[in-house]
């Protein structure tokens, strides 16, 4: 049968699972960048109209693409995962493809943002002294480090969003409530403990001692990988 | 004939409720199986377990000789179109087909295009803007064009008009003849699919009530009509599923063996033996059980008013 041969010689099952998640990408990935470009143009128009840009304006609008990525990961798990499971794709393959796509997409976005920042630097803030893509204190001189600084938050947000969505897919609303309680305790109890033991100074010193790369890329990446692992354990027996 | 699905004592519990209770059966290759039963009988749960989308609490179920859960070689040969199939919000009709083309190794694009044209499905319409019937058609197109060796349809035609339903039956039969595969069809429109089904698996309250070929079943259940005394005499050896009486005249639906000897006897007693439609058989069998077991109760004069509401 010719169609069987084409499947056998075409992309692997994981490759197909990646492609399935890219079906209709203009309305997902396209929308993310479309929104960013729109916000950027609005900013250009706004600060172009103001003329007198002193001190040089810094917008927080870059956050929009990170928020869209977070929401995109949630809706991918809530919509694409049940759909592909219905079409006989196993959970492991779906999640492997999902994770590859998250990392690949984060890297692509990181490179694109780095390029935008380069243009911004070269053009003197788009001729308006405007800082749209630059990050201020997080700016790096090494372009590779700059890519990493842009990329890591995408990875963390993607796996964080997908983990929440997977908890919902597996345990439904009660699961999400429990997760919220666990998160509050996980943040709250250490704060109580640190305050009680007066450890804030030592923690402050530890943070200052960390290389900046660890703070912007290293530790967040550890959290991202932990989320990805938790997501994998959760999806294994999810029955959406 | 080789076995495609084999279930041994499969149970599924949700808290105190047993959705499936010690279910055992075998589905043979390249046949059309009807999975019948009332709402809540456990049909969907059973199909979800067969396709690795759900797990049994106990028991063993294999598909193509292996457990289906997270089994890529097995599941890539399975297609399950469920009534509640949902698509990503941003999907248009053509996106759903693109996804199916990627995931089903035996996908036939030409056949899919033929089906789309027959069902008049607009390729560029958003799926969430489709009517209920068109939504069902899309599922049917995917289920048929996937040509999966094991194809399951769970109530595939919610909201479909009669023309579209018959288009589905026609395409199913034609394509099944050219590309034999194992089909499981779960439906409430039993009369419409009665002639399609080769095997019948009847579930009731999580248990298997019947697992037989459609032909054998039709020979097993008859309606005997005539004088009540003669009906009583004839019914003595078989299981009585239902009875209507009107004065001294009675009509009883009986289950047993009705060969030439029994038919001769009915004639001697002055009784008419009539075949019973598959739908009536299913109704009688599930009602008999709901009334308190399917034990033979030849002495019971059924009051039609006591029938449970369906």
């Amino acid at each position: 049968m010719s169609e069987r041969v084409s499947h056998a010689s075409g992309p692997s099952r994981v490759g197909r699972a990646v492609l399935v998640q890219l079906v209709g990408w203009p309305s997902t990935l396209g929308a993310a960048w479309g929104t960013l470009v729109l916000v950027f143009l609005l900013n250009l128009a706004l600060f172009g109209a103001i003329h007198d840009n002193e001190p040089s304006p810094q917008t927080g609008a870059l956050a929009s693409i990170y928020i869209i990525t977070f929401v995109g990961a949630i809706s991918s798990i809530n919509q694409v995962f049940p759909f592909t499971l219905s079409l006989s794709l196993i959970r492991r393959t779906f999640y492997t493809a999902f994770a590859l796509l998250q990392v690949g997409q984060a890297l692509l976005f990181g490179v694109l943002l780095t390029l935008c920042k380069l243009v911004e630097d070269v053009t003197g803030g788009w001729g308006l002294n405007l800082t749209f893509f630059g990050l201020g204190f997080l700016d790096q001189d090494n372009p590779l480090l700059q890519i990493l600084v842009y990329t890591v938050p995408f990875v963390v947000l993607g796996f964080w969003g997908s983990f929440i969505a997977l908890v919902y897919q597996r345990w439904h609303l009660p699961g999400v409530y429990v997760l919220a309680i666990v998160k509050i305790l996980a943040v709250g109890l250490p704060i109580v403990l640190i305050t009680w033991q007066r450890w804030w100074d030592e923690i402050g010193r530890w943070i200052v001692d960390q290389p900046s790369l660890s703070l912007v890329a290293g530790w967040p990446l550890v959290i991202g990988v932990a989320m990805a692992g938790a997501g994998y354990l959760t999806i294994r027996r999810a029955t959406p | 004939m080789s076995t495609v699905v084999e279930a041994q004592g499969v149970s599924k519990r949700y808290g105190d409720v047993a959705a499936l209770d010690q279910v055992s059966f075998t589905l043979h290759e390249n046949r059309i199986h009807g999975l019948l039963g009332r709402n809540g009988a456990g049909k969907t749960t059973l199909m979800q377990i067969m396709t690795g989308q759900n797990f049994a609490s106990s028991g063993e179920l294999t598909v193509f000789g292996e457990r289906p859960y997270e089994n890529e070689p097995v599941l890539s040969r399975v297609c399950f179109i469920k009534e509640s199939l949902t698509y990503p919000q941003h999907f248009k009709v053509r996106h759903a087909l693109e996804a199916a083309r990627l995931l089903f190794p035996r996908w036939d694009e030409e056949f899919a295009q033929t089906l789309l044209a027959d069902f008049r499905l607009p390729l560029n319409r958003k799926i969430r803007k489709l009517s209920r019937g068109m939504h069902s058609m899309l599922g049917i197109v995917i289920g048929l064009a996937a040509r999966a060796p094991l194809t399951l349809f769970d109530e595939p035609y919610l909201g479909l008009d009669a023309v579209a339903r018959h288009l589905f039956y026609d395409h199913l039969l034609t394509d099944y003849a050219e590309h034999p595969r194992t089909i499981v069809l779960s439906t409430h429109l039993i009369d419409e699919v009665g002639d399609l089904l080769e095997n019948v698996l009847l579930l009731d309250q999580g248990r298997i009530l019947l697992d037989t070929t459609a032909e054998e079943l039709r020979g097993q259940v008859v309606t005997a009509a005539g004088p009540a005394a003669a009906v009583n005499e004839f019914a003595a050896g078989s299981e009585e599923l239902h009875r209507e009486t009107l004065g001294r005249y009675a009509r009883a639906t009986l289950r047993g063996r009705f060969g030439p000897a029994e038919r001769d006897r009915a004639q001697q007693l002055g009784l008419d033996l009539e075949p019973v439609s598959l739908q009536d058989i299913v109704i009688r069998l599930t009602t008999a059980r709901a009334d308190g077991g399917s034990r033979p109760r030849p002495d019971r004069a059924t009051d039609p008013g006591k029938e449970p509401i369906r």
Side-chain angles (χ1 to χ4, degrees), chain A residues 88-100:
Chain A
S88 300
L89 190 64
I90 65 171
R91 296 164 182 83
R92 190 176 59 237
T93 305
F94 169 84
Y95 196 72
T96 308
F98 174 83
L100 285 175

Side-chain angles (χ1 to χ4, degrees), chain A residues 1 3-4 7 13 16-17 19-20 23-24 27-28 79-80 82-93 236-240, chain B residues 52-55 69-72 75-76 78-80 82 85-91 95 98-107:
Chain A
M1 251 187 275
E3 60 265 25
R4 288 181 67 185
H7 250 249
R13 197 80 182 155
R16 288 170 179 282
L19 292 175
V20 160
V23 166
S27 2
T28 52
Q79 298 180 20
V80 183
F83 171 68
T84 56
L85 190 69
S86 289
L87 296 195
S88 300
L89 190 64
I90 65 171
R91 296 164 182 83
R92 190 176 59 237
T93 305
R236 291 291 286 161
R237 288 186 78 82
T239 54
Chain B
Q53 296 181 20
N54 210 332
F55 326 102
Y69 168 70
E70 291 292 87
N71 190 327
E72 198 127 73
L75 288 183
S76 63
V78 174
C79 175
F80 175 29
K82 54 185 175 184
L85 181 59
T86 52
Y87 302 86
Q89 285 232 337
H90 63 277
F91 264 33
H95 293 143
E98 222 173 299
R101 189 184 312 137
L102 281 164
L103 293 180
F104 291 113
R106 292 172 175 78
W107 179 262

Side-chain angles (χ1 to χ4, degrees), chain B residues 93-94 97 112-125 130-131 133-142:
Chain B
V93 170
R94 62 186 167 87
L97 298 173
Q113 293 301 330
T114 309
L115 292 167
L116 280 178
D118 278 2
F119 282 122
R120 300 181 187 165
L121 268 177
L123 269 178
N124 277 317
R125 187 156 323 157
L130 293 180
S131 70
M134 284 178 144
H135 198 275
S136 298
M137 287 176 197
L138 180 55
I140 286 171
V141 171
I142 292 175

Side-chain angles (χ1 to χ4, degrees), chain A residues 50-143:
Chain A
I50 293 173
H51 292 302
D52 179 23
N53 290 329
E54 280 299 328
S56 60
Q58 170 126 29
T59 79
L62 189 59
S64 67
I65 194 161
Y66 286 94
I67 294 168
I68 292 175
T69 301
F70 178 69
V71 174
I74 291 177
S75 71
S76 185
I77 295 294
N78 280 337
Q79 298 180 20
V80 183
F81 166 55
F83 171 68
T84 56
L85 190 69
S86 289
L87 296 195
S88 300
L89 190 64
I90 65 171
R91 296 164 182 83
R92 190 176 59 237
T93 305
F94 169 84
Y95 196 72
T96 308
F98 174 83
L100 285 175
L101 201 56
Q102 285 299 314
V103 174
Q105 179 187 309
L107 205 59
L108 175 70
F109 286 12
V111 170
L112 287 174
L113 288 178
T114 305
L115 288 177
C116 290
K117 182 186 172 291
L118 281 178
V119 176
E120 184 170 276
D121 291 347
V122 169
T123 57
W126 314 96
L128 296 168
N129 216 8
L130 172 69
T131 305
F132 185 88
F133 294 99
L135 298 167
F137 73 101
L138 288 178
D139 283 346
Q140 307 285 321
D141 294 331
N142 181 337

Side-chain angles (χ1 to χ4, degrees), chain B residues 25-157:
Chain B
F25 63 92
T26 305
L27 298 185
H28 293 293
E29 193 180 25
N30 298 344
R31 295 185 71 89
I32 301 183
H33 303 267
L35 181 55
L36 310 177
R38 299 176 58 185
N39 295 325
K43 305 185 294 289
T44 302
T45 306
L46 184 57
M47 285 187 277
Q48 284 174 335
I49 294 174
M50 281 191 228
T51 53
Q53 296 181 20
N54 210 332
F55 326 102
S57 309
S58 61
E60 185 79 15
L61 187 139
T62 59
V63 177
F64 298 116
E66 295 173 34
R67 287 187 196 176
Y69 168 70
E70 291 292 87
N71 190 327
E72 198 127 73
V74 165
L75 288 183
S76 63
R77 296 157 74 191
V78 174
C79 175
F80 175 29
I81 299 299
K82 54 185 175 184
E83 167 217 321
S84 58
L85 181 59
T86 52
Y87 302 86
Q89 285 232 337
H90 63 277
F91 264 33
K92 294 175 174 174
V93 170
R94 62 186 167 87
H95 293 143
L97 298 173
E98 222 173 299
R101 189 184 312 137
L102 281 164
L103 293 180
F104 291 113
R106 292 172 175 78
W107 179 262
D108 185 328
E109 182 63 27
E110 209 177 307
F111 186 36
Q113 293 301 330
T114 309
L115 292 167
L116 280 178
D118 278 2
F119 282 122
R120 300 181 187 165
L121 268 177
L123 269 178
N124 277 317
R125 187 156 323 157
K126 283 244 165 129
I127 294 174
R128 62 193 156 96
K129 300 242 165 91
L130 293 180
S131 70
R132 182 62 246 189
M134 284 178 144
H135 198 275
S136 298
M137 287 176 197
L138 180 55
I140 286 171
V141 171
I142 292 175
L144 288 175
R147 292 240 171 93
L150 173 61
T151 302
L152 305 101
F153 286 105
D154 183 12
E155 286 294 338
Y157 29 54

